[in-house]
Amino acid sequence: MTALLRRQALPLALLLALALVPVLGVQDGFSLGLLARAMILGIAATSLSLLVGGAGLASLGHAAALGIGAYAVATLDLLGITEGAVVFPAAILAAALYALLTGLVSLRTGGVHFIMITLAFGQMVYFATSSLSALGGDDGYTLYGRTEFLGARLLEGRLPFHYLCLGLAAATWLFCSMLLESRFGRVLRAAKEEPMRVRALGLSPYPYRLVAMTIAGALAGLAGALMANAMEFVSPAILSWPRSADLLFMVILGGVGHLHGALLGALALVLAEEVLSHLWDHWRLLFGPLLILAVIFLRGGLAGLPALLAQKLVQTLDRRAR
Amino acid sequence: MAPLLELRGLSKSFGALAVTRGVSLAVAPGEIHAVIGPNGAGKTTLIHQISGTLRPDAGQVLFRGQDVTALDLPARARLGLARSFQITCIIPGFTALANVALAVQARSGSSFRFFRRAEAEEALNAPARAALERVGLGHRAGAVAGTLSHGEKRQLELAIALASAPSLLLLDEPLAGAGPEETARLVALLRALRGDYAILLVEHDMQAVFALADRISVLVYGQLIASGTPEEIRAHPEVRAAYLGEDELA
Ligand SMILES: Nc1ncnc2c1ncn2[C@@H]1O[C@H](COP(=O)(O)OP(=O)(O)O)[C@@H](O)[C@H]1O
Ligand SMILES: [Mg+2]
């Protein structure tokens, strides 16, 4: 545990910075709402990073698990159930079950086929939610209220919600880091690099990957339940395939192989979207080239940036000294 | 003594190309059984069928008296078949130690453990270090496997195979690409392993083969043309004609 903390100075600094934002005076609903959205997407992106960076599984249907978590909240809301002790476990279990069932099929394949099958499953869920007329179909569903805990409206307050999202983002990162360093994670990482070696040792990668997908789905479901609460609204847009692509972008921009990169990527994407959309109506045109530049010039992603800068600095100092 | 491994009438074709043609052979416990033959004779394909990487078209593979023909690679590995690959097959991003520790982990208890740091588990690292020492790679335990020299990677493969505590080692050209010093060390190591492990050894280095093997089988165009002790193989006229150059026997 202490070893983990020592080796993870950068992610801890990031989490600390997020904790300090309200303390430093940024407390308006708009800014904190933006940050909450980024942290929630960060949770989903971190769980995707577990799959992409840890297991080599680039799912293009991860937003479906996120959306199922959100739709679980909406469905229970429709039934008049808003108790968090029911809502959150239900959202997590529903998303985990989805990931397990789709994993059973998609993990039989690999590479491009895996991407296509996860995409296809995601689209199925998208069209299913679009036709859920009880939940507003395409128009979506506005929550009657946020999830409660034993009748207490904990999630209504901006600050409690900020720190809840932050706490869960931190817990997700810590949990996934520990998974990747465990025996289980070692098998995942080995099977990503050289599946034949793993099989020759008597381990078949399939069940390990399936468990990883299920865990990632559960975490995305948690993020979905938070997202429903943050927006107080759920619509099929949350699980459209571009949303899955966004999550993948966050992982790659943040740096595959650095779990905390996913949270960085989510922050960067949400904030960039906010800034750019104010500058120019057609901001999405700028977005693509920016991403391409980031991928080309930031090999380790945003998470690798500090090390890259430090290395450049040392090189410059060396040259000066000579 | 009942054989540890027995092949009965193994056959395999790739399209029109018959690569394994009715191969039958047996490996006794503790013996080093070498399979030699020119390039393209089908030695690697044979190893694949024994390890479970490839399914034979016909014939049976028996391991410890059990028919394992229908089992896949992981299932056979769990029974105690360990293999090295002609083309190095290691986890390049792991340290040498972690590569071997993974093998220890695979044979000892569950890998469905989620919270303890695997790297800090002495129960995995100690046997892994011992295996690395045994192949002469102890000083490189902390090196990232992808950065090892070619010869060191071959040694690492062997350490991985040893660490999985197999009852039969399948070695596909373990000396290929190793320098003279590394070769000498590996040959000494294989000799030290004789008796503890049964080994099916595919190797091109004839000096090493004749120094190590208890029995030798000669594979030409997918067919066994001879099988016997090194002396018998040395004297075998068909083998001399088909494969062994006179100088290699000198
Ligand atoms: N997967 C494959 N598909 C088609 N032909 C193959 C395949 N693998 C091997 N071969 C062919 O089978 C023959 C035997 O190959 P191999 O077993 O690698 O020989 P060796 O190890 O004795 O050099 C070669 O002619 C090779 O080209
Ligand atoms: Mg070969």
Side-chain angles (χ1 to χ4, degrees):
Chain A
M1 188 71 188
T2 49
L4 187 69
L5 296 184
R6 210 175 321 115
R7 280 174 293 117
Q8 305 282 10
L10 291 175
L12 291 175
L14 171 66
L15 293 168
L16 185 66
L18 283 168
L20 286 179
V21 168
V23 180
L24 295 176
V26 182
Q27 297 204 358
D28 63 293
F30 177 77
S31 308
L32 288 188
L34 206 61
L35 277 184
R37 228 161 60 78
M39 289 188 288
I40 293 167
L41 289 174
I43 293 173
T46 304
S47 67
L48 180 59
S49 183
L50 175 71
L51 293 183
V52 179
L57 299 169
S59 165
L60 203 44
H62 207 55
L66 179 83
I68 285 172
Y71 265 91
V73 177
T75 308
L76 291 172
D77 185 86
L78 184 69
L79 301 173
I81 300 169
T82 54
E83 169 53 44
V86 177
V87 171
F88 274 83
I92 291 168
L93 281 177
L97 188 65
Y98 167 80
L100 174 68
L101 292 178
T102 56
L104 279 171
V105 178
S106 59
L107 287 174
R108 299 257 167 226
T109 65
V112 179
H113 297 279
F114 177 81
I115 297 177
M116 293 312 292
I117 291 180
T118 51
L119 174 63
F121 276 122
Q123 288 299 86
M124 275 166 55
V125 180
Y126 175 77
F127 289 117
T129 53
S130 308
S131 56
L132 274 179
S133 50
L135 290 173
D138 273 329
D139 297 331
Y141 177 89
T142 303
L143 293 187
Y144 180 71
R146 290 195 178 187
T147 303
E148 300 167 352
F149 287 91
L150 299 174
R153 311 183 122 199
L154 284 177
L155 303 189
E156 303 277 348
R158 288 204 287 269
L159 285 183
F161 194 67
H162 178 83
Y163 286 108
L164 177 72
C165 292
L166 177 59
L168 290 174
T172 301
W173 164 74
L174 195 65
F175 177 66
C176 292
S177 303
M178 285 170 80
L179 280 187
L180 281 184
E181 299 206 335
S182 70
R183 286 188 178 201
F184 168 77
R186 178 185 262 172
V187 175
L188 276 186
R189 288 181 287 123
K192 175 193 173 192
E193 285 194 45
E194 195 57 83
M196 185 57 103
R197 172 36 76 200
V198 174
R199 287 162 49 75
L201 290 176
L203 300 167
S204 120
Y206 182 80
Y208 297 90
R209 290 174 173 160
L210 189 60
V211 170
M213 265 190 91
T214 307
I215 291 173
L219 291 169
L222 169 69
L226 288 171
M227 190 58 101
N229 274 287
M231 318 282 282
E232 299 183 18
F233 172 73
V234 176
S235 81
I238 193 175
L239 40 72
S240 63
W241 79 263
R243 176 57 82 197
S244 289
D246 281 349
L247 290 175
L248 214 43
F249 269 141
M250 292 170 188
V251 171
I252 293 166
L253 178 65
V256 179
H258 303 276
L259 272 176
H260 68 286
L263 181 56
L264 267 180
L267 280 165
L269 225 71
V270 169
L271 296 181
E273 190 177 289
E274 179 57 30
V275 171
L276 291 178
S277 65
H278 276 298
L279 294 180
W280 194 29
D281 282 346
H282 305 289
W283 58 275
R284 278 211 173 256
L285 283 177
L286 280 180
F287 217 49
L290 276 181
L291 275 170
I292 292 169
L293 289 177
V295 169
I296 292 174
F297 290 108
L298 287 176
R299 275 304 170 82
L302 293 172
L305 199 53
L308 192 71
L309 290 177
Q311 189 194 344
K312 284 267 186 307
L313 187 67
V314 169
Q315 280 172 357
T316 331
L317 292 179
D318 262 7
R319 229 171 289 135
R320 288 267 171 78
R322 241 180 271 141
Chain B
M1 209 176 338
L4 186 64
L5 175 78
E6 198 181 345
L7 309 182
R8 290 189 189 155
L10 227 48
S11 296
K12 176 84 190 168
S13 302
F14 294 116
L17 184 67
V19 181
T20 308
R21 298 194 283 178
V23 171
S24 299
L25 65 78
V27 180
E31 88 170 355
I32 297 186
H33 192 129
V35 174
I36 60 174
N39 264 324
K43 304 181 295 296
T44 296
T45 306
L46 188 65
I47 294 257
H48 281 323
Q49 292 168 82
I50 299 171
S51 69
T53 318
L54 277 178
R55 202 52 97 72
D57 298 336
Q60 287 173 301
V61 180
L62 284 87
F63 186 57
R64 290 170 165 165
Q66 182 191 346
D67 186 344
V68 298
T69 318
L71 300 183
D72 67 0
L73 171 68
R76 291 189 206 184
R78 284 194 290 274
L79 288 178
L81 262 169
R83 67 165 297 182
S84 72
F85 292 80
Q86 180 172 6
I87 297 158
T88 306
C89 187
I90 55 175
I91 317 291
F94 282 23
T95 61
L97 183 67
N99 264 280
V100 187
L102 178 66
V104 180
Q105 176 183 324
R107 73 154 154 91
S108 69
S110 174
S111 283
F112 280 107
R113 294 207 198 146
F114 299 94
F115 295 106
R116 246 174 83 203
R117 271 188 77 210
E119 258 180 42
E121 281 194 55
E122 240 348 83
L124 302 181
N125 289 343
R129 256 187 236 107
L132 283 172
E133 292 291 348
R134 189 145 194 205
V135 302
L137 212 54
H139 62 295
R140 299 287 272 155
V144 174
T147 66
L148 297 176
S149 76
H150 182 78
E152 287 173 332
K153 284 179 183 159
R154 305 303 303 177
Q155 285 169 280
L156 178 58
E157 275 238 331
L158 209 48
I160 291 170
L162 290 181
S164 48
S167 39
L168 177 64
L169 275 169
L170 303 171
L171 304 181
D172 197 355
E173 302 203 21
L175 306 179
E181 253 173 65
E182 284 159 344
T183 299
R185 181 177 317 125
L186 285 170
V187 169
L189 171 66
L190 291 178
R191 187 174 291 129
L193 295 178
R194 171 196 277 154
D196 293 347
Y197 301 89
I199 301 177
L200 189 79
L201 174 69
V202 167
E203 186 46 60
H204 266 302
D205 183 330
M206 284 307 128
Q207 245 183 339
V209 166
F210 279 92
L212 286 169
D214 299 300
R215 295 182 68 77
I216 299 176
S217 293
V218 185
L219 196 68
V220 177
Y221 292 120
Q223 229 164 356
L224 282 189
I225 61 165
S227 196
T229 64
E231 291 70 37
E232 288 165 354
I233 293 301
R234 224 190 282 268
H236 199 288
E238 224 180 309
V239 175
R240 299 180 81 106
Y243 178 50
L244 295 172
E246 295 295 330
D247 51 327
E248 280 181 292
L249 296 168

